[in-house]
Amino acid sequence: MADPTLPHPPPAGGPAIEVANLDCGYDGKVVLKNISFTIARGEIFFIIGGSGCGKSTLLRNLVGLNQPTAGAVKFFGQSFTEADTVTRRGLLKTFGMLFQSGALWSSLTLRKNVSLPLEEYTTLAPREIEEIATLKLAQVGLSGFEDYYPSEISGGMKKRAGLARALALDPAIVFFDEPSAGLDPVTSRKLDELILQIRETFGTTIVVVSHELASIFDIADRVIMLDRAEQGIIASGPPRELAKTSRDPRVAEFLRRGDLLPQ
């Protein structure tokens, strides 16, 4: 079902995301300064670090919920931070986001929750929107729960429903803010497996904010680690390699804690 308002495939070549000399803050307070990194297409990329280091602040600046005080963010070579209203709206269709709580509307069924971005960003007919929402819920294992309300399902199911909504527009990039927060280890692992499945099936670029070592070691291709005192990036690379070779005590303390040391 073709629709001219649906996002087009991103242009070939180059990274999915480019961040250059980004400064982030709020209420006159600097949280992060001079942040630069790139994320390859199809990569599972984690933003990690201790509490208060600026992980969620960086994420909010990447997706436009906050405006950086300096620097630039590009998606597929096109500036997001400097885009006009029309261009920015087009770029917003290229990515989806799963918020930490799932952020579902409690008064709407799961199918209606997933339908919202389709109603906002496309001119599809109501019947077509309903079919796509049903399909997206099936893709995250929620067939049969289309008419349930958020209060009627578990925390893990709410995360999956939120993911279905994030996937509604077939985005090239999906952002996750602490996806394992509040989940038991088994449910968390199933969500990690779903993230891997989405990447393998659709070639989606995945960006995850997390401090959960199990997820970091199991599914991340590469990480950047933020530090509160440094107000920036103190490590970058494959997490298992960093855990084994980093001589920075802050990196070693974070990645070698607990019983999840990489083999």
Side-chain angles (χ1 to χ4, degrees):
M1 59 185 70
D3 187 283
T5 61
L6 284 170
H8 300 289
I17 303 173
E18 299 170 78
V19 177
N21 309 119
L22 203 68
D23 290 353
C24 307
Y26 52 88
D27 298 331
K29 178 183 178 182
V30 176
V31 177
L32 296 167
K33 55 187 180 183
N34 201 32
I35 299 291
S36 297
F37 59 91
T38 61
I39 302 175
R41 297 169 189 239
E43 187 171 28
I44 298 181
F45 184 91
F46 272 57
I47 301 168
I48 67 173
S51 298
C53 70
K55 301 187 298 296
S56 292
T57 297
L58 176 56
L59 183 63
R60 291 177 66 86
N61 279 261
L62 294 181
V63 301
L65 292 175
N66 292 115
Q67 187 69 15
T69 55
V73 177
K74 292 182 179 181
F75 294 109
F76 303 105
Q78 194 166 14
S79 177
F80 183 61
T81 45
E82 298 178 359
D84 58 33
T85 302
V86 174
T87 303
R88 176 172 282 236
R89 184 174 174 84
L91 288 170
L92 286 170
K93 298 178 189 178
T94 68
F95 63 81
M97 182 166 177
L98 175 60
F99 294 91
Q100 186 174 143
S101 64
L104 299 173
W105 291 94
S106 60
S107 61
L108 301 178
T109 65
L110 301 190
R111 178 160 34 219
K112 286 297 294 181
N113 266 281
V114 177
S115 296
L116 289 176
L118 293 160
E119 294 170 347
E120 173 70 18
Y121 287 104
T122 80
T123 57
L124 293 169
R127 179 61 181 271
E128 293 173 316
I129 289 176
E130 183 176 308
E131 290 175 356
I132 293 173
T134 301
L135 173 63
K136 295 304 176 182
L137 286 165
Q139 287 176 349
V140 299
L142 288 176
S143 290
F145 291 90
E146 296 86 357
D147 296 320
Y148 280 60
Y149 288 86
S151 61
E152 299 174 319
I153 59 176
S154 69
M157 294 169 76
K158 289 177 185 177
K159 292 286 180 91
R160 283 189 278 154
L163 179 54
R165 185 178 60 192
L167 295 172
L169 292 172
D170 293 329
I173 304 168
V174 179
F175 294 92
F176 294 78
D177 187 9
E178 297 283 4
S180 298
L183 301 182
D184 62 82
V186 173
T187 304
S188 178
R189 177 57 191 164
K190 288 181 179 178
L191 184 57
D192 285 347
E193 291 172 353
L194 183 55
I195 291 172
L196 286 171
Q197 179 183 334
I198 290 167
R199 193 267 297 271
E200 296 305 317
T201 303
F202 303 108
T204 310
T205 303
I206 306 291
V207 183
V208 184
V209 164
S210 182
H211 65 276
E212 297 288 345
L213 285 184
S215 294
I216 292 167
F217 287 138
D218 284 349
I219 69 171
D221 296 317
R222 192 162 54 94
V223 306
I224 56 170
M225 182 171 174
L226 306 179
D227 180 72
R228 183 175 183 177
E230 195 77 19
Q231 294 184 317
I233 299 171
I234 59 170
S236 176
R240 291 177 178 272
E241 181 179 312
L242 289 175
K244 292 177 180 178
T245 64
S246 178
R247 296 182 180 181
D248 188 318
R250 297 166 296 183
V251 178
E253 181 181 8
F254 184 89
L255 290 174
R256 298 174 191 170
R257 58 196 159 97
D259 300 320
L260 295 172
L261 296 179
Q263 300 300 314

